[in-house]
Amino acid sequence: MKKFFPLYYFLFFTFFINAQNLKSPDNNLDLNFSVDENGRATYSLNFYDKPVILKSGLGFILKDNVEWMKIDTLDMINNFKVINVSFDTIDKIWNPVWGEESEIRNNYNEMFIELEQKESQRKINIRFRLFDNSLGFRYEFPLQENLGSFIVIDEKTEFAMADDHTAMWIPGDYDTQEYNYTTSKLSEIKQKSIEFKEENVSMYRFSDWGVQTSLMMKSDNGLYINIHEAALIEYSAMHLEFNSSNMTFESHLTPDSYGNMAYMNAPHNTPWRTVIVSDDARDILASRITYNLNEPSKIEDTSWIKPTKYMGVWWEMITGQSTWWYTNDLSSVRINETNYDELEPNDSHAANNKKVMRYIDFASKHGFDALLVEGWNIGWEDWFDKKKDYVFDFLTPYPDFDIEKLNNYAKEKGISLMMHHETSGAIRNYERHMDEAYSLMNKYGYKSVKSGYVGRIIPAGERHYGQYMVGHYIYAIDKAADYKIMVNAHEAVRPTGVSRTYPNHIGNESARGAEFRGSKLNHTTILPFTRLIGGPMDYTPGIFEMDPRKNTADFSPNLNETLAPGAVTTTLANQLGLYVIMYSPLQMAADLPKNYMRFPDAFQFIKDVALDWDKSVYLEAEPGEYVTIARKEKGTDNWFVGNSNGYNRRNAEVNFSFLDKNKKYTATIYKDTKKTNYATNPQSYKIEKIKVTSKSKIKIPTAEAGGFAISIFAN
Ligand code: NOJ
Ligand code: CA
């Protein structure tokens, strides 16, 4: 029997399907979806009764991928109607290969909206997932007749802010994230951006209103809001462009040399856009949305992926006491024409047999897993900013670096060498050599590689964060997995949780690390809320000698009266706290062996601290002010606590209720003293041993740019 519906029923149904609602599992987040009067898909998000994202538009400007035909752009913003809506709920536990905890809960309510554009009949689907404290959504282009191979000219995702929040941001840039953070009102971004003068070797700041993600904000009514993305694969990285007239951020993708943002073939999905929100800053750190929105591991046998604690023949080059390059003859040396055997080494080439063996001895004696050696391979005379394709071959050691002997020596001493591949941004050259380079690593027993992308990208016009490079970084990690190699990429795009899919991707720099020195005093109280939302950072902590001038033999003992140029702007105790608060399965003790020998009792913490965790408890957190985290070592009863403090001296509070109620522990506290001053007396610290139980509570004073670390062992 046929059924006939009256017109009003049809209209009601259309209205009904065009407005949808979804709640988080704990009911605290409320997402509203609707199609507005122009047929534009919109969403808004509330945390309890507080608006997080006001009604914000979604959509794209696309182009068919036949550029020579000069076809008009396709407006994929307006004239949509909802053709179907479906819901789902997932609640599962999964076990990461390494991480801040050994079990991650993936619990969300999903709403899947299928949209079709009137007349053109082109389709876009939007998948929303609401977790407790966070929202993720992505666009999915289904297989369809009227949209096949296409170009993203612009993504029009909006994030309308409810107020003029305080934000911690770095300037929008297609090529670097290695900046200090600015804290300002949203409305001040442009002015502060104009005043912001930091330079970097490759930078492209696209606008004075542009900022990068992960962006951390705080509202006057007490909400912490974080915007980022997850699963950035086969697409370009998203920045945010603020429009002060309607207080709205719009997505700003990284273009290629044609100005195109991404090339896609339906069916295809974009990365997820994420919003984490809470009235307690600790929940931002505890959120696992970024990993949960990534695909499970593609690597089946992960037994060879091991958290790694390492030292390096490195800091001495960073602080200018020795060189990566072998000869001083920088003008005449060219990789294809030079017989390095005929050249004399300069006095200070660091990666030489004798020195590397001394470092191996030290790293092995103190229980490290690996030693990074930079400047081992030919090419460094010619590497920097020459925009040259063929700089390194990643295969040929300098004459004073005996690759076989040194690897054997390291092996005898129970550690491995860490490979270094500086690509100087020459991507074709790196990919050309990659198989051979990884094979060489296998031959000599290297387990991990630190790669780097300093300078402009070659081919010219490509950007560090464009789709081309995003593809390259994944290619390098994926291929490394074939050779059972772990990757730590510097200058690559900031992570978006892809380490879940490729757990051999154990590190990234992608922010301003310790090598810069002179960072703002609260830098490491911001990074856990921004850069680390996407995954671990190779921050390279553990600097005990903050004044680089003092590393040279003839330093004057009176130098420490004022802050030295190029000084590390933290206290020594803060450096220890970083091993806990800057989560990474790859941790470096970055300073020179001789500085660790000056402070062996403080060095003990670096030797003791774990790299992999069963559990993390976020004790105190206020972005830009302080962070205190406790973590339980995977598979043991040991706990480690770390703190980093910003501009204001304060008393941190550690409540040990995270400890097992039936056990007694000894805690060793490494802390600032009354006299500690990051500029004039950063090496003043005190070590105290106390007995603690789950009932203990203590206060620990922290200096400006100070901090503390605690190791806790069960008795
Ligand atoms: C920049 C990296 O961040 C640093 O760690 C490395 O030593 C240099 N590039 C040289 O590759
Ligand atoms: Ca760098």
Side-chain angles (χ1 to χ4, degrees), residues 167-173 182 184 186 189-190 193 206-216 238-242 249-250 252 494:
M168 270 145 258
W169 54 271
I170 53 174
D173 193 311
T182 298
S184 80
L186 296 174
I189 289 175
K190 180 174 180 183
S193 202
F206 57 83
S207 130
D208 293 332
W209 282 114
V211 296
Q212 302 198 38
T213 76
S214 145
L215 176 70
M216 189 64 219
M238 178 181 78
H239 305 271
L240 298 171
E241 174 84 3
F242 191 62
F249 283 107
E250 191 177 287
H252 178 108
R494 77 275 188 279

PDB file of all heavy atoms in Angstrom, residues 167-173 182 184 186 189-190 193 206-216 238-242 249-250 252 494:
ATOM      1  N   ALA A 167      45.190  33.964  24.460  1.00  0.00           N
ATOM      2  CA  ALA A 167      45.720  32.837  23.683  1.00  0.00           C
ATOM      3  C   ALA A 167      47.232  32.765  23.827  1.00  0.00           C
ATOM      4  O   ALA A 167      47.901  33.774  24.025  1.00  0.00           O
ATOM      5  CB  ALA A 167      45.360  32.999  22.209  1.00  0.00           C
ATOM      6  N   MET A 168      47.760  31.548  23.721  1.00  0.00           N
ATOM      7  CA  MET A 168      49.201  31.333  23.650  1.00  0.00           C
ATOM      8  C   MET A 168      49.496  30.870  22.239  1.00  0.00           C
ATOM      9  O   MET A 168      49.100  29.767  21.854  1.00  0.00           O
ATOM     10  CB  MET A 168      49.617  30.269  24.664  1.00  0.00           C
ATOM     11  CG  MET A 168      49.954  30.876  26.005  1.00  0.00           C
ATOM     12  SD  MET A 168      49.480  29.817  27.358  1.00  0.00           S
ATOM     13  CE  MET A 168      47.986  30.656  27.874  1.00  0.00           C
ATOM     14  N   TRP A 169      50.167  31.710  21.464  1.00  0.00           N
ATOM     15  CA  TRP A 169      50.258  31.424  20.032  1.00  0.00           C
ATOM     16  C   TRP A 169      51.650  31.692  19.478  1.00  0.00           C
ATOM     17  O   TRP A 169      52.435  32.439  20.050  1.00  0.00           O
ATOM     18  CB  TRP A 169      49.223  32.249  19.260  1.00  0.00           C
ATOM     19  CG  TRP A 169      49.285  33.732  19.521  1.00  0.00           C
ATOM     20  CD1 TRP A 169      48.627  34.407  20.509  1.00  0.00           C
ATOM     21  CD2 TRP A 169      50.050  34.726  18.817  1.00  0.00           C
ATOM     22  NE1 TRP A 169      48.929  35.755  20.457  1.00  0.00           N
ATOM     23  CE2 TRP A 169      49.798  35.974  19.421  1.00  0.00           C
ATOM     24  CE3 TRP A 169      50.918  34.674  17.716  1.00  0.00           C
ATOM     25  CZ2 TRP A 169      50.388  37.159  18.974  1.00  0.00           C
ATOM     26  CZ3 TRP A 169      51.507  35.857  17.269  1.00  0.00           C
ATOM     27  CH2 TRP A 169      51.234  37.081  17.896  1.00  0.00           C
ATOM     28  N   ILE A 170      51.922  31.022  18.366  1.00  0.00           N
ATOM     29  CA  ILE A 170      53.107  31.352  17.562  1.00  0.00           C
ATOM     30  C   ILE A 170      52.589  31.784  16.193  1.00  0.00           C
ATOM     31  O   ILE A 170      51.514  31.354  15.768  1.00  0.00           O
ATOM     32  CB  ILE A 170      54.105  30.177  17.453  1.00  0.00           C
ATOM     33  CG1 ILE A 170      53.420  28.901  16.968  1.00  0.00           C
ATOM     34  CG2 ILE A 170      54.819  29.943  18.760  1.00  0.00           C
ATOM     35  CD1 ILE A 170      54.383  27.752  16.710  1.00  0.00           C
ATOM     36  N   PRO A 171      53.343  32.639  15.496  1.00  0.00           N
ATOM     37  CA  PRO A 171      52.845  33.178  14.232  1.00  0.00           C
ATOM     38  C   PRO A 171      52.580  32.086  13.203  1.00  0.00           C
ATOM     39  O   PRO A 171      53.321  31.106  13.126  1.00  0.00           O
ATOM     40  CB  PRO A 171      53.986  34.079  13.749  1.00  0.00           C
ATOM     41  CG  PRO A 171      54.879  34.286  14.903  1.00  0.00           C
ATOM     42  CD  PRO A 171      54.680  33.148  15.840  1.00  0.00           C
ATOM     43  N   GLY A 172      51.540  32.271  12.427  1.00  0.00           N
ATOM     44  CA  GLY A 172      51.258  31.367  11.316  1.00  0.00           C
ATOM     45  C   GLY A 172      52.427  31.394  10.353  1.00  0.00           C
ATOM     46  O   GLY A 172      52.908  32.470   9.981  1.00  0.00           O
ATOM     47  N   ASP A 173      52.919  30.234   9.966  1.00  0.00           N
ATOM     48  CA  ASP A 173      54.129  30.170   9.145  1.00  0.00           C
ATOM     49  C   ASP A 173      54.102  28.847   8.396  1.00  0.00           C
ATOM     50  O   ASP A 173      53.783  27.814   8.976  1.00  0.00           O
ATOM     51  CB  ASP A 173      55.368  30.250  10.072  1.00  0.00           C
ATOM     52  CG  ASP A 173      56.655  30.496   9.324  1.00  0.00           C
ATOM     53  OD1 ASP A 173      56.911  29.786   8.337  1.00  0.00           O
ATOM     54  OD2 ASP A 173      57.414  31.395   9.731  1.00  0.00           O
ATOM     55  N   THR A 182      53.705  33.832  22.181  1.00  0.00           N
ATOM     56  CA  THR A 182      53.193  35.118  22.666  1.00  0.00           C
ATOM     57  C   THR A 182      51.883  34.843  23.388  1.00  0.00           C
ATOM     58  O   THR A 182      51.060  34.061  22.904  1.00  0.00           O
ATOM     59  CB  THR A 182      52.927  36.065  21.473  1.00  0.00           C
ATOM     60  OG1 THR A 182      54.166  36.296  20.814  1.00  0.00           O
ATOM     61  CG2 THR A 182      52.344  37.392  21.932  1.00  0.00           C
ATOM     62  N   SER A 184      48.533  36.673  24.475  1.00  0.00           N
ATOM     63  CA  SER A 184      47.808  37.934  24.263  1.00  0.00           C
ATOM     64  C   SER A 184      46.322  37.650  24.106  1.00  0.00           C
ATOM     65  O   SER A 184      45.917  36.501  23.935  1.00  0.00           O
ATOM     66  CB  SER A 184      48.313  38.643  23.008  1.00  0.00           C
ATOM     67  OG  SER A 184      47.728  38.072  21.848  1.00  0.00           O
ATOM     68  N   LEU A 186      42.997  37.638  21.849  1.00  0.00           N
ATOM     69  CA  LEU A 186      42.844  37.333  20.424  1.00  0.00           C
ATOM     70  C   LEU A 186      42.870  38.613  19.595  1.00  0.00           C
ATOM     71  O   LEU A 186      43.482  38.678  18.531  1.00  0.00           O
ATOM     72  CB  LEU A 186      41.526  36.586  20.190  1.00  0.00           C
ATOM     73  CG  LEU A 186      41.423  35.207  20.854  1.00  0.00           C
ATOM     74  CD1 LEU A 186      40.020  34.629  20.669  1.00  0.00           C
ATOM     75  CD2 LEU A 186      42.467  34.262  20.276  1.00  0.00           C
ATOM     76  N   ILE A 189      46.316  39.916  18.379  1.00  0.00           N
ATOM     77  CA  ILE A 189      47.247  39.069  17.609  1.00  0.00           C
ATOM     78  C   ILE A 189      47.969  39.882  16.535  1.00  0.00           C
ATOM     79  O   ILE A 189      49.190  39.824  16.399  1.00  0.00           O
ATOM     80  CB  ILE A 189      46.511  37.855  16.987  1.00  0.00           C
ATOM     81  CG1 ILE A 189      46.117  36.866  18.077  1.00  0.00           C
ATOM     82  CG2 ILE A 189      47.391  37.150  15.946  1.00  0.00           C
ATOM     83  CD1 ILE A 189      45.274  35.693  17.611  1.00  0.00           C
ATOM     84  N   LYS A 190      47.216  40.680  15.786  1.00  0.00           N
ATOM     85  CA  LYS A 190      47.846  41.396  14.667  1.00  0.00           C
ATOM     86  C   LYS A 190      48.960  42.328  15.164  1.00  0.00           C
ATOM     87  O   LYS A 190      50.088  42.285  14.652  1.00  0.00           O
ATOM     88  CB  LYS A 190      46.799  42.201  13.902  1.00  0.00           C
ATOM     89  CG  LYS A 190      47.417  42.960  12.749  1.00  0.00           C
ATOM     90  CD  LYS A 190      46.401  43.643  11.884  1.00  0.00           C
ATOM     91  CE  LYS A 190      47.145  44.362  10.756  1.00  0.00           C
ATOM     92  NZ  LYS A 190      46.239  45.106   9.907  1.00  0.00           N
ATOM     93  N   SER A 193      51.855  40.453  16.474  1.00  0.00           N
ATOM     94  CA  SER A 193      52.519  39.752  15.388  1.00  0.00           C
ATOM     95  C   SER A 193      53.449  40.702  14.637  1.00  0.00           C
ATOM     96  O   SER A 193      54.559  40.327  14.252  1.00  0.00           O
ATOM     97  CB  SER A 193      51.436  39.212  14.457  1.00  0.00           C
ATOM     98  OG  SER A 193      51.903  38.176  13.712  1.00  0.00           O
ATOM     99  N   PHE A 206      52.524  34.034   6.785  1.00  0.00           N
ATOM    100  CA  PHE A 206      51.589  34.378   5.709  1.00  0.00           C
ATOM    101  C   PHE A 206      50.658  35.533   6.025  1.00  0.00           C
ATOM    102  O   PHE A 206      50.043  36.091   5.131  1.00  0.00           O
ATOM    103  CB  PHE A 206      50.786  33.136   5.287  1.00  0.00           C
ATOM    104  CG  PHE A 206      50.033  32.486   6.428  1.00  0.00           C
ATOM    105  CD1 PHE A 206      48.797  32.961   6.825  1.00  0.00           C
ATOM    106  CD2 PHE A 206      50.578  31.409   7.096  1.00  0.00           C
ATOM    107  CE1 PHE A 206      48.107  32.370   7.871  1.00  0.00           C
ATOM    108  CE2 PHE A 206      49.899  30.807   8.151  1.00  0.00           C
ATOM    109  CZ  PHE A 206      48.665  31.290   8.538  1.00  0.00           C
ATOM    110  N   SER A 207      50.518  35.881   7.316  1.00  0.00           N
ATOM    111  CA  SER A 207      49.602  36.975   7.620  1.00  0.00           C
ATOM    112  C   SER A 207      49.790  37.396   9.067  1.00  0.00           C
ATOM    113  O   SER A 207      50.206  36.600   9.908  1.00  0.00           O
ATOM    114  CB  SER A 207      48.160  36.514   7.384  1.00  0.00           C
ATOM    115  OG  SER A 207      47.346  36.794   8.482  1.00  0.00           O
ATOM    116  N   ASP A 208      49.463  38.645   9.375  1.00  0.00           N
ATOM    117  CA  ASP A 208      49.609  39.121  10.753  1.00  0.00           C
ATOM    118  C   ASP A 208      48.521  38.581  11.676  1.00  0.00           C
ATOM    119  O   ASP A 208      48.639  38.667  12.892  1.00  0.00           O
ATOM    120  CB  ASP A 208      49.586  40.651  10.784  1.00  0.00           C
ATOM    121  CG  ASP A 208      50.808  41.232  10.105  1.00  0.00           C
ATOM    122  OD1 ASP A 208      51.852  40.546  10.105  1.00  0.00           O
ATOM    123  OD2 ASP A 208      50.707  42.339   9.550  1.00  0.00           O
ATOM    124  N   TRP A 209      47.455  38.070  11.105  1.00  0.00           N
ATOM    125  CA  TRP A 209      46.400  37.485  11.946  1.00  0.00           C
ATOM    126  C   TRP A 209      46.529  35.959  12.028  1.00  0.00           C
ATOM    127  O   TRP A 209      45.703  35.292  12.632  1.00  0.00           O
ATOM    128  CB  TRP A 209      45.003  37.828  11.396  1.00  0.00           C
ATOM    129  CG  TRP A 209      44.541  39.221  11.722  1.00  0.00           C
ATOM    130  CD1 TRP A 209      44.318  40.228  10.846  1.00  0.00           C
ATOM    131  CD2 TRP A 209      44.204  39.743  13.021  1.00  0.00           C
ATOM    132  NE1 TRP A 209      43.875  41.353  11.501  1.00  0.00           N
ATOM    133  CE2 TRP A 209      43.789  41.083  12.841  1.00  0.00           C
ATOM    134  CE3 TRP A 209      44.224  39.223  14.321  1.00  0.00           C
ATOM    135  CZ2 TRP A 209      43.389  41.901  13.903  1.00  0.00           C
ATOM    136  CZ3 TRP A 209      43.822  40.037  15.381  1.00  0.00           C
ATOM    137  CH2 TRP A 209      43.416  41.364  15.157  1.00  0.00           C
ATOM    138  N   GLY A 210      47.536  35.404  11.372  1.00  0.00           N
ATOM    139  CA  GLY A 210      47.653  33.942  11.325  1.00  0.00           C
ATOM    140  C   GLY A 210      48.370  33.389  12.546  1.00  0.00           C
ATOM    141  O   GLY A 210      49.354  33.963  13.009  1.00  0.00           O
ATOM    142  N   VAL A 211      47.901  32.278  13.058  1.00  0.00           N
ATOM    143  CA  VAL A 211      48.573  31.569  14.154  1.00  0.00           C
ATOM    144  C   VAL A 211      48.605  30.079  13.817  1.00  0.00           C
ATOM    145  O   VAL A 211      47.895  29.626  12.935  1.00  0.00           O
ATOM    146  CB  VAL A 211      47.858  31.771  15.519  1.00  0.00           C
ATOM    147  CG1 VAL A 211      47.901  33.226  15.929  1.00  0.00           C
ATOM    148  CG2 VAL A 211      46.423  31.258  15.484  1.00  0.00           C
ATOM    149  N   GLN A 212      49.453  29.356  14.544  1.00  0.00           N
ATOM    150  CA  GLN A 212      49.558  27.920  14.281  1.00  0.00           C
ATOM    151  C   GLN A 212      48.762  27.128  15.319  1.00  0.00           C
ATOM    152  O   GLN A 212      48.448  27.622  16.392  1.00  0.00           O
ATOM    153  CB  GLN A 212      51.030  27.490  14.331  1.00  0.00           C
ATOM    154  CG  GLN A 212      51.861  28.266  13.323  1.00  0.00           C
ATOM    155  CD  GLN A 212      53.193  27.616  13.018  1.00  0.00           C
ATOM    156  OE1 GLN A 212      53.307  26.403  12.927  1.00  0.00           O
ATOM    157  NE2 GLN A 212      54.202  28.427  12.830  1.00  0.00           N
ATOM    158  N   THR A 213      48.477  25.894  14.970  1.00  0.00           N
ATOM    159  CA  THR A 213      47.927  24.977  15.960  1.00  0.00           C
ATOM    160  C   THR A 213      49.082  24.078  16.398  1.00  0.00           C
ATOM    161  O   THR A 213      50.068  23.956  15.671  1.00  0.00           O
ATOM    162  CB  THR A 213      46.778  24.128  15.396  1.00  0.00           C
ATOM    163  OG1 THR A 213      47.297  23.112  14.588  1.00  0.00           O
ATOM    164  CG2 THR A 213      45.788  24.985  14.619  1.00  0.00           C
ATOM    165  N   SER A 214      48.994  23.492  17.553  1.00  0.00           N
ATOM    166  CA  SER A 214      47.889  23.508  18.459  1.00  0.00           C
ATOM    167  C   SER A 214      47.848  24.839  19.201  1.00  0.00           C
ATOM    168  O   SER A 214      48.841  25.267  19.756  1.00  0.00           O
ATOM    169  CB  SER A 214      48.049  22.315  19.373  1.00  0.00           C
ATOM    170  OG  SER A 214      47.637  22.515  20.645  1.00  0.00           O
ATOM    171  N   LEU A 215      46.661  25.460  19.191  1.00  0.00           N
ATOM    172  CA  LEU A 215      46.470  26.777  19.790  1.00  0.00           C
ATOM    173  C   LEU A 215      45.802  26.601  21.147  1.00  0.00           C
ATOM    174  O   LEU A 215      44.792  25.916  21.251  1.00  0.00           O
ATOM    175  CB  LEU A 215      45.576  27.625  18.883  1.00  0.00           C
ATOM    176  CG  LEU A 215      45.204  28.989  19.433  1.00  0.00           C
ATOM    177  CD1 LEU A 215      46.422  29.915  19.449  1.00  0.00           C
ATOM    178  CD2 LEU A 215      44.084  29.620  18.604  1.00  0.00           C
ATOM    179  N   MET A 216      46.379  27.211  22.165  1.00  0.00           N
ATOM    180  CA  MET A 216      45.816  27.086  23.520  1.00  0.00           C
ATOM    181  C   MET A 216      45.212  28.416  23.939  1.00  0.00           C
ATOM    182  O   MET A 216      45.849  29.454  23.813  1.00  0.00           O
ATOM    183  CB  MET A 216      46.949  26.690  24.480  1.00  0.00           C
ATOM    184  CG  MET A 216      46.488  26.322  25.861  1.00  0.00           C
ATOM    185  SD  MET A 216      45.456  24.847  25.851  1.00  0.00           S
ATOM    186  CE  MET A 216      44.247  25.321  27.070  1.00  0.00           C
ATOM    187  N   MET A 238      47.037  22.612   8.769  1.00  0.00           N
ATOM    188  CA  MET A 238      46.070  23.694   8.963  1.00  0.00           C
ATOM    189  C   MET A 238      46.623  24.739   9.937  1.00  0.00           C
ATOM    190  O   MET A 238      47.063  24.418  11.025  1.00  0.00           O
ATOM    191  CB  MET A 238      44.774  23.120   9.538  1.00  0.00           C
ATOM    192  CG  MET A 238      43.725  24.183   9.830  1.00  0.00           C
ATOM    193  SD  MET A 238      42.201  23.517  10.551  1.00  0.00           S
ATOM    194  CE  MET A 238      42.696  23.250  12.251  1.00  0.00           C
ATOM    195  N   HIS A 239      46.593  25.985   9.509  1.00  0.00           N
ATOM    196  CA  HIS A 239      46.826  27.110  10.412  1.00  0.00           C
ATOM    197  C   HIS A 239      45.472  27.759  10.666  1.00  0.00           C
ATOM    198  O   HIS A 239      44.465  27.366  10.079  1.00  0.00           O
ATOM    199  CB  HIS A 239      47.753  28.139   9.773  1.00  0.00           C
ATOM    200  CG  HIS A 239      49.048  27.549   9.324  1.00  0.00           C
ATOM    201  ND1 HIS A 239      50.146  27.458  10.138  1.00  0.00           N
ATOM    202  CD2 HIS A 239      49.410  27.002   8.147  1.00  0.00           C
ATOM    203  CE1 HIS A 239      51.133  26.882   9.475  1.00  0.00           C
ATOM    204  NE2 HIS A 239      50.711  26.587   8.275  1.00  0.00           N
ATOM    205  N   LEU A 240      45.472  28.786  11.503  1.00  0.00           N
ATOM    206  CA  LEU A 240      44.224  29.498  11.780  1.00  0.00           C
ATOM    207  C   LEU A 240      44.427  30.976  11.497  1.00  0.00           C
ATOM    208  O   LEU A 240      45.435  31.561  11.896  1.00  0.00           O
ATOM    209  CB  LEU A 240      43.815  29.305  13.240  1.00  0.00           C
ATOM    210  CG  LEU A 240      43.536  27.860  13.656  1.00  0.00           C
ATOM    211  CD1 LEU A 240      43.367  27.768  15.165  1.00  0.00           C
ATOM    212  CD2 LEU A 240      42.298  27.315  12.947  1.00  0.00           C
ATOM    213  N   GLU A 241      43.465  31.560  10.832  1.00  0.00           N
ATOM    214  CA  GLU A 241      43.511  32.992  10.523  1.00  0.00           C
ATOM    215  C   GLU A 241      42.372  33.641  11.303  1.00  0.00           C
ATOM    216  O   GLU A 241      41.212  33.240  11.171  1.00  0.00           O
ATOM    217  CB  GLU A 241      43.293  33.151   9.009  1.00  0.00           C
ATOM    218  CG  GLU A 241      43.161  34.555   8.520  1.00  0.00           C
ATOM    219  CD  GLU A 241      44.513  35.240   8.264  1.00  0.00           C
ATOM    220  OE1 GLU A 241      45.568  34.578   8.422  1.00  0.00           O
ATOM    221  OE2 GLU A 241      44.486  36.430   7.931  1.00  0.00           O
ATOM    222  N   PHE A 242      42.718  34.619  12.140  1.00  0.00           N
ATOM    223  CA  PHE A 242      41.689  35.213  12.997  1.00  0.00           C
ATOM    224  C   PHE A 242      41.068  36.419  12.317  1.00  0.00           C
ATOM    225  O   PHE A 242      41.763  37.263  11.752  1.00  0.00           O
ATOM    226  CB  PHE A 242      42.314  35.647  14.327  1.00  0.00           C
ATOM    227  CG  PHE A 242      41.288  36.016  15.355  1.00  0.00           C
ATOM    228  CD1 PHE A 242      40.378  35.083  15.821  1.00  0.00           C
ATOM    229  CD2 PHE A 242      41.218  37.310  15.856  1.00  0.00           C
ATOM    230  CE1 PHE A 242      39.421  35.411  16.769  1.00  0.00           C
ATOM    231  CE2 PHE A 242      40.272  37.655  16.815  1.00  0.00           C
ATOM    232  CZ  PHE A 242      39.375  36.700  17.267  1.00  0.00           C
ATOM    233  N   PHE A 249      38.044  32.278  13.965  1.00  0.00           N
ATOM    234  CA  PHE A 249      39.184  31.692  13.271  1.00  0.00           C
ATOM    235  C   PHE A 249      38.674  30.965  12.037  1.00  0.00           C
ATOM    236  O   PHE A 249      37.651  30.285  12.088  1.00  0.00           O
ATOM    237  CB  PHE A 249      39.891  30.649  14.145  1.00  0.00           C
ATOM    238  CG  PHE A 249      40.755  31.245  15.211  1.00  0.00           C
ATOM    239  CD1 PHE A 249      40.356  31.198  16.545  1.00  0.00           C
ATOM    240  CD2 PHE A 249      41.963  31.845  14.895  1.00  0.00           C
ATOM    241  CE1 PHE A 249      41.156  31.735  17.535  1.00  0.00           C
ATOM    242  CE2 PHE A 249      42.771  32.382  15.877  1.00  0.00           C
ATOM    243  CZ  PHE A 249      42.363  32.335  17.204  1.00  0.00           C
ATOM    244  N   GLU A 250      39.434  31.075  10.951  1.00  0.00           N
ATOM    245  CA  GLU A 250      39.127  30.247   9.789  1.00  0.00           C
ATOM    246  C   GLU A 250      40.355  29.415   9.456  1.00  0.00           C
ATOM    247  O   GLU A 250      41.496  29.884   9.622  1.00  0.00           O
ATOM    248  CB  GLU A 250      38.732  31.108   8.595  1.00  0.00           C
ATOM    249  CG  GLU A 250      38.149  30.252   7.477  1.00  0.00           C
ATOM    250  CD  GLU A 250      37.677  31.072   6.287  1.00  0.00           C
ATOM    251  OE1 GLU A 250      36.626  31.743   6.401  1.00  0.00           O
ATOM    252  OE2 GLU A 250      38.359  31.021   5.257  1.00  0.00           O
ATOM    253  N   HIS A 252      43.349  27.854   7.590  1.00  0.00           N
ATOM    254  CA  HIS A 252      44.217  28.378   6.533  1.00  0.00           C
ATOM    255  C   HIS A 252      45.240  27.287   6.233  1.00  0.00           C
ATOM    256  O   HIS A 252      46.136  27.033   7.034  1.00  0.00           O
ATOM    257  CB  HIS A 252      44.903  29.666   7.012  1.00  0.00           C
ATOM    258  CG  HIS A 252      45.840  30.245   6.000  1.00  0.00           C
ATOM    259  ND1 HIS A 252      45.568  31.384   5.295  1.00  0.00           N
ATOM    260  CD2 HIS A 252      47.041  29.815   5.556  1.00  0.00           C
ATOM    261  CE1 HIS A 252      46.569  31.643   4.456  1.00  0.00           C
ATOM    262  NE2 HIS A 252      47.477  30.696   4.604  1.00  0.00           N
ATOM    263  N   ARG A 494      54.429  19.663  12.542  1.00  0.00           N
ATOM    264  CA  ARG A 494      54.121  19.291  13.925  1.00  0.00           C
ATOM    265  C   ARG A 494      53.220  18.065  13.946  1.00  0.00           C
ATOM    266  O   ARG A 494      52.388  17.885  13.077  1.00  0.00           O
ATOM    267  CB  ARG A 494      53.517  20.462  14.714  1.00  0.00           C
ATOM    268  CG  ARG A 494      52.070  20.763  14.445  1.00  0.00           C
ATOM    269  CD  ARG A 494      51.913  21.658  13.245  1.00  0.00           C
ATOM    270  NE  ARG A 494      50.561  22.122  13.041  1.00  0.00           N
ATOM    271  CZ  ARG A 494      49.611  21.411  12.450  1.00  0.00           C
ATOM    272  NH1 ARG A 494      49.833  20.183  12.052  1.00  0.00           N
ATOM    273  NH2 ARG A 494      48.410  21.937  12.291  1.00  0.00           N
TER     274      ARG A 494
END
